[in-house]
Amino acid sequence: MLDDIDARPGSTTSLPRTVIGVHLRPLGGEISSAALVRLVGDLDIPAAQARMATTRLKQKGLLLAAPGRQYALNPAAIGMLERGDRRIFAVRSMTPDEQWLLVSATIPETRRDLRHQLRRRLQFLGAGSVAAGLWILPGHLQDEAEELLGEIGARGYATLFRADDPVPARPLAEAVAGWWDLAALRAEHERFLASVDALDLARPFAAHLRLIDSWRVLPYVDPGLPAALLPADWPGARSVDTFQRLSAALADDALAHVRATVA
């Protein structure tokens, strides 16, 4: 099961999925349909929309029907959720002495669908585009890149290389600004920081879920490039510090609310 890269943070599709991804495993993997609708309702989503969103998540395979009007987390989703935990809660930045990973893929014309999927998935993983069929990532993302290639059936078309600093024709910082859309990444950080200002910290469950939901895309699309290759006013470190501080402050009260709601 692949990560959801289409659901817009804060939407009635994204928020219920985040509730499930964060809280179903601590609850033992099951929840009643009524309790799930109540939790989604605590995010100011009307009950009818909450039920529709839950039905869509069941159709997508994230949830399975269980006896007694219960929902169970699909075991096939565990790997995807654990991968999300690593990216969302254990953010890594590239160290000065770390190698780069290059992914070269030649996909036949008859598999344009796979070519399109590979490009979108690698971008969501945080890859920069060096040239057609050639992507670059920090070396610590090699395992995730190989896992992705296997999941979408593209491993047979790809070769991976480990390399020290590339030597483009222009300064490396300028090349990085061409390989990644830094303006778009900056806008994502600014969007996240603005969303934090709108949180109601007096409602820990809703604040915690909205915080994670707003953040969850950023640690994927931003691979944590070395500070020396980024603009001096890059907002990445401020975003990470803000997320980690608020997540730690809200997590216990949020889980307590979930347990009380389920009980």
Side-chain angles (χ1 to χ4, degrees), residues 15 18 87 104 107 109-110 123 156 167 172 174 185 213 225 239 241 248 252:
L15 286 168
T18 301
R87 289 300 287 265
S104 175
I107 298 177
E109 193 69 18
T110 55
Q123 288 173 343
V167 186
L172 184 55
E174 291 183 19
L185 290 179
D213 192 69
L225 298 171
S239 291
D241 290 345
D252 288 346

Side-chain angles (χ1 to χ4, degrees), residues 87 91-96 98-100 125-127 136-141 176 180 182 185 189 215 217-230 234 236-237 240:
R87 289 300 287 265
V91 178
R92 288 184 61 178
S93 294
M94 191 172 180
T95 60
E98 185 177 340
Q99 287 187 310
W100 298 87
L125 198 64
I136 186 169
L137 303 107
H140 66 258
L141 293 175
V176 162
W180 281 271
L182 296 186
L185 290 179
H189 282 288
W215 170 254
V217 171
L218 251 174
Y220 279 93
V221 297
D222 185 340
L225 298 171
L229 300 179
L230 294 168
W234 188 249
V240 173

Side-chain angles (χ1 to χ4, degrees), residues 7-252:
R8 177 175 51 84
S11 68
T12 55
T13 298
S14 182
L15 286 168
R17 184 183 176 96
T18 301
V19 171
I20 292 164
V22 173
H23 289 298
L24 234 62
R25 285 170 291 165
L27 294 176
E30 290 194 6
I31 190 171
S32 72
S33 57
L36 182 55
V37 168
R38 286 197 297 271
L39 287 173
V40 175
D42 288 336
L43 301 170
D44 302 319
I45 296 176
Q49 293 184 33
R51 292 188 188 96
M52 289 177 58
T54 302
T55 298
R56 285 196 295 269
L57 292 172
K58 182 181 172 185
Q59 292 170 343
K60 287 176 178 280
L62 183 62
L63 294 174
L64 301 174
R69 299 180 65 82
Q70 296 274 115
Y71 284 119
L73 185 64
N74 188 343
I78 298 298
M80 177 266 294
L81 293 173
E82 290 177 344
R83 181 170 61 235
D85 289 344
R86 293 191 295 270
R87 289 300 287 265
I88 292 169
F89 297 106
V91 178
R92 288 184 61 178
S93 294
M94 191 172 180
T95 60
D97 59 345
E98 185 177 340
Q99 287 187 310
W100 298 87
L101 175 70
L102 295 172
V103 179
S104 175
T106 303
I107 298 177
E109 193 69 18
T110 55
R111 294 301 314 275
R112 289 186 181 183
D113 59 327
L114 180 59
R115 186 185 303 168
H116 173 70
Q117 186 180 25
L118 176 61
R119 181 173 64 251
R120 292 188 70 228
R121 291 284 168 184
L122 282 172
Q123 288 173 343
F124 188 72
L125 198 64
S129 177
V130 178
L134 182 63
W135 292 270
I136 186 169
L137 303 107
H140 66 258
L141 293 175
Q142 179 171 342
D143 289 345
E144 290 191 39
E146 292 199 67
E147 186 177 2
L148 168 64
L149 291 167
E151 285 181 340
I152 67 172
R155 187 64 184 92
Y157 301 108
T159 302
L160 278 60
F161 302 90
R162 296 298 294 264
D164 294 321
D165 282 348
V167 186
R170 49 185 169 163
L172 184 55
E174 291 183 19
V176 162
W179 297 339
W180 281 271
D181 187 345
L182 296 186
L185 290 179
R186 180 187 291 275
E188 279 293 310
H189 282 288
E190 292 172 349
R191 176 200 59 76
F192 168 72
L193 291 167
S195 75
V196 168
D197 293 336
L199 295 177
D200 181 0
L201 300 183
R203 301 170 61 199
F205 168 74
H208 187 241
L209 253 295
R210 288 189 177 277
L211 175 76
I212 295 173
D213 192 69
S214 182
W215 170 254
R216 67 175 181 83
V217 171
L218 251 174
Y220 279 93
V221 297
D222 185 340
L225 298 171
L229 300 179
L230 294 168
D233 62 344
W234 188 249
R238 185 157 59 99
S239 291
V240 173
D241 290 345
T242 299
F243 172 76
Q244 292 180 335
R245 173 176 54 82
L246 286 175
S247 179
L250 295 167
D252 288 346

